[in-house]
Amino acid sequence: MSENNKVKGFFNLGEFGSYFTRVFQKPDPNQKSNINLRMMHGINKISIVVFLLALIFWIVKRLA
């Protein structure tokens, strides 16, 4: 196994990691979508952003 594959394998998060990249991309116009799916992805985006902001705030508070 080459060094590049070891690094790529270490950071590979599978379906879990690909969801985060997929949720912040523009929707595919060829894929069927409905209001429930769009609302779910919107709420997930808000949740991810709030979680990351809280994590940053917590880290800054612990370091200060």
Side-chain angles (χ1 to χ4, degrees):
M1 187 181 253
S2 71
E3 186 66 32
N4 190 18
N5 287 339
K6 287 181 184 177
V7 173
K8 190 180 283 188
F10 180 75
F11 288 106
N12 185 10
L13 297 175
E15 283 187 39
F16 180 75
S18 68
Y19 177 77
F20 290 108
T21 59
R22 192 174 54 228
V23 96
F24 287 104
Q25 289 177 346
K26 282 188 166 185
D28 185 12
N30 298 327
Q31 193 173 4
K32 186 180 178 216
S33 179
N34 61 21
I35 188 70
N36 294 330
L37 189 61
R38 288 194 307 258
M39 288 296 209
M40 181 192 72
H41 285 298
I43 291 170
N44 285 348
K45 287 178 190 178
I46 293 169
S47 299
I48 291 168
V49 169
V50 168
F51 173 76
L52 290 175
L53 288 174
L55 190 64
I56 291 169
F57 177 77
W58 182 76
I59 289 171
V60 168
K61 188 176 176 182
R62 298 286 274 176
L63 293 177

